[in-house]
């Protein structure tokens, strides 16, 4: 869907101003960082120092990929959820490190079991990646889980990197929390955030990382050496996104909720074991008996012309699942479920 109007208009006005036709600072305009801190205060009641605890990112993926270069030495370990957004593992590998996969199981609400991680792995681990609301499972985290994460990170001296790209995409009163809301979180970690999903700004490349000042400084050190920051006119449009009218967001959630209901109901009627996600943009469900992830995805593609992502593409524990998204109009999802039902795949 298109970026909200007020944001597009703001960029149109701003881009004409020669004051922005220059190299930006790598950490972001002070007004942008202040705007991020104010938004965190309003949305999560988290206090941030815009000077030391906020850095702008060229999309949150950029920061997620670069954080490992700052803290992972060869042979160091990152604790990575499985299944997960692939960048946590790839960033670790590019830095010469190794990933230890933490399985996310349905029976644990797709939260990792931190007690199951072997002691020697905890000792070598430098980073712990988490992501709630979760891609691909759409699961949510709660305060007790994040409290366990803080205690674990303190005990083993591990930096927590929480990817919070979907906190504003939720249904009903399942309003997601920030990792930084939990006591002690800022001692051990940072949170990545993005305007991509919240304001339909995926192509604009604007995000930020917030939290522990030393960790933010480490990420900033990499950024000064590999990029030159985020075009300032886009930062000004980002301020408009964070501070302007938020009502289009409410409409956006309603659109996704209607799509979710169409897709999940249709899949259920087709005999598939899909359940309605409480947040994020994904329907993650087990493939029918006797199929693999790739086998079922291929069958969907070849028999009904539908692309679904095989779960094992997100990590070995994703085997046996597929992921569908809510990123198409309701009519297309109607069409998709009609085809799935008539093909009698189950
Ligand atoms: C979309 C997404 C992001 C990154 O979005 P950016 O556009 O790079 O800000 C990060 N994490 C997850 C889990 C995502 O799905």
């Amino acid at each position: 869907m298109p970026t909200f109007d007020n944001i597009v208009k703001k960029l149109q006005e701003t881009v004409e101003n020669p004051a922005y036709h220059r190299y930006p600072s790598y950490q972001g305009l002070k007004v942008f960082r202040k705007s991020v801190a104010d938004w965190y205060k309003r949305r999560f009641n988290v206090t941030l120092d815009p000077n030391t605890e906020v850095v702008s990112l060229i999309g949150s993926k950029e920061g997620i990929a670069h954080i490992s270069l700052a803290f992972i030495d060869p042979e160091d370990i990152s604790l990575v959820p499985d299944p997960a957004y692939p960048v946590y593992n790839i960033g670790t590998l590019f830095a010469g490190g190794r990933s230890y996969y933490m399985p996310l199981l349905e029976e644990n609400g797709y939260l990792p079991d931190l007690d199951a991680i072997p002691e020697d792995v905890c000792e070598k681990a430098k980073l712990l990646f988490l992501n709630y609301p979760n891609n691909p499972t759409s699961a949510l985290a709660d305060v007790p889980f994040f409290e366990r994460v803080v205690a674990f990170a303190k005990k083993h001296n591990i930096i927590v990197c929480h990817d919070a790209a979907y906190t504003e995409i939720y249904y009903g009163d399942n309003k997601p929390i920030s990792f930084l809301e939990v006591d002690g979180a800022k001692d051990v970690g940072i949170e990545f955030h993005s305007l991509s999903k919240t304001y339909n700004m995926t192509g604009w490349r604007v995000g930020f990382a917030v939290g522990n000042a030393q960790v933010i400084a480490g990420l900033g050190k990499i950024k000064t050496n590999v990029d030159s920051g985020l075009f300032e006119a886009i930062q000004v449009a980002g301020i408009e996104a964070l501070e302007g009218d938020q009502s289009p967001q409410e409409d956006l959630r309603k659109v996704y909720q209607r799509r979710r209901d169409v897709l999940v109901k249709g899949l259920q009627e087709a005999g598939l074991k899909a359940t309605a996600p409480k947040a994020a943009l994904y329907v993650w469900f087990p493939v029918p008996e006797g199929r693999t992830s790739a086998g079922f995805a291929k069958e969907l593609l070849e028999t009904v012309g539908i692309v679904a992502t095989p779960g094992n593409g997100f990590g070995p524990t994703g085997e046996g699942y597929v992921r569908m998204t809510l990123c198409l109009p309701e009519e297309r999802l109607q069409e998709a479920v009609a085809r799935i039902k008539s093909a009698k795949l189950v």
Side-chain angles (χ1 to χ4, degrees):
M1 288 179 278
T3 306
F4 303 163
D5 266 352
N6 60 317
I7 303 168
V8 174
K9 296 229 164 66
K10 180 57 84 175
L11 181 68
Q12 285 171 337
E13 289 163 21
T14 311
V15 77
E16 290 184 31
N17 185 345
Y20 299 121
H21 301 172
R22 58 212 287 276
Y23 280 119
S25 71
Y26 81 88
Q27 77 269 45
L29 286 166
K30 186 146 188 204
V31 282
F32 178 79
R33 286 177 284 132
K34 168 89 168 49
S35 181
V36 167
D38 292 347
W39 183 78
Y40 253 76
K41 187 73 192 165
R42 286 197 302 281
R43 171 64 176 88
F44 300 115
N45 199 25
V46 167
T47 306
L48 295 167
D49 178 350
N51 293 314
T52 57
E53 296 177 335
V54 182
V55 66
S56 67
L57 297 173
I58 310 171
S60 63
K61 184 179 190 177
E62 179 260 297
I64 293 167
H66 282 145
I67 190 77
S68 290
L69 284 180
F71 296 105
I72 294 288
D73 287 328
E75 298 306 310
D76 284 346
I77 290 178
S78 289
L79 303 174
V80 172
D82 160 32
Y85 186 60
V87 187
Y88 318 130
N89 173 45
I90 302 284
T92 300
L93 297 182
F94 281 5
R98 291 181 290 138
S99 296
Y100 176 86
Y101 283 133
M102 307 177 291
L104 305 187
L105 304 175
E106 192 173 353
E107 62 261 35
N108 299 334
Y110 298 112
L111 301 172
D113 179 1
L114 300 173
D115 297 330
I117 303 168
E119 199 56 38
D120 60 317
V121 172
C122 294
E123 264 166 43
K124 283 193 181 156
K126 292 279 173 64
L127 301 178
L128 164 60
F129 287 99
L130 294 169
N131 164 224
Y132 295 98
N134 184 256
N135 177 6
T137 68
S138 285
L140 290 166
D142 54 13
V143 170
F145 171 70
F146 280 151
E147 284 172 349
R148 291 200 296 281
V149 170
V150 170
F152 174 84
K154 285 195 171 170
K155 179 167 175 217
H156 299 289
N157 198 19
I158 293 171
I159 297 168
V160 178
C161 299
H162 183 238
D163 177 357
Y166 294 99
T167 60
E168 307 318 300
I169 310 290
Y170 59 90
Y171 311 110
D173 10 302
N174 298 297
K175 207 167 180 173
I177 56 172
S178 160
F179 172 64
L180 298 178
E181 283 178 48
V182 170
D183 277 348
K186 216 200 274 177
D187 301 335
V188 296
I190 61 169
E191 188 155 81
F192 291 99
H193 228 295
S194 172
L195 305 192
S196 288
K197 318 291 159 61
T198 311
Y199 301 99
N200 293 337
M201 293 177 78
T202 53
W204 295 54
R205 313 313 300 135
V206 47
F208 48 87
V210 295
N212 185 280
Q214 260 181 298
V215 179
I216 294 291
L219 177 57
K221 199 163 185 176
I222 297 299
K223 285 179 59 59
T224 48
N225 286 285
V226 298
D227 69 57
S228 299
L230 173 59
F231 182 31
E232 288 180 345
I234 289 185
Q235 295 185 53
V236 174
I239 295 172
E240 173 64 26
L242 293 169
E243 295 180 3
D245 180 16
Q246 303 293 304
S247 63
Q249 237 184 75
E250 203 46 58
D251 302 334
L252 184 71
R253 285 191 280 265
K254 283 189 191 127
V255 169
Y256 286 135
Q257 185 161 348
R258 282 198 300 273
R259 292 179 182 178
R260 175 196 74 163
D261 294 341
V262 165
L263 181 61
V264 171
K265 184 164 165 282
L267 292 173
Q268 288 172 348
E269 286 167 0
L272 292 159
K273 294 201 177 86
T275 51
K278 295 184 177 128
L281 299 174
Y282 307 107
V283 181
W284 175 255
F285 61 96
V287 300
E289 282 276 318
R291 322 287 225 289
T292 61
S293 289
F296 187 61
K298 188 160 179 265
E299 194 177 334
L300 284 171
L301 183 63
E302 288 176 353
T303 60
V304 287
I306 289 169
V307 177
T309 313
N312 60 333
F314 299 96
T317 302
E319 180 52 52
Y321 288 81
V322 288
R323 191 195 75 170
M324 290 190 177
T325 82
L326 307 179
C327 298
L328 285 177
E330 217 174 307
E331 307 78 63
R332 297 297 292 158
L333 294 175
Q334 296 278 16
E335 165 72 19
V337 295
R339 287 192 211 168
I340 292 173
K341 278 194 243 176
S342 64
K344 304 221 180 318
L345 297 172
V346 183

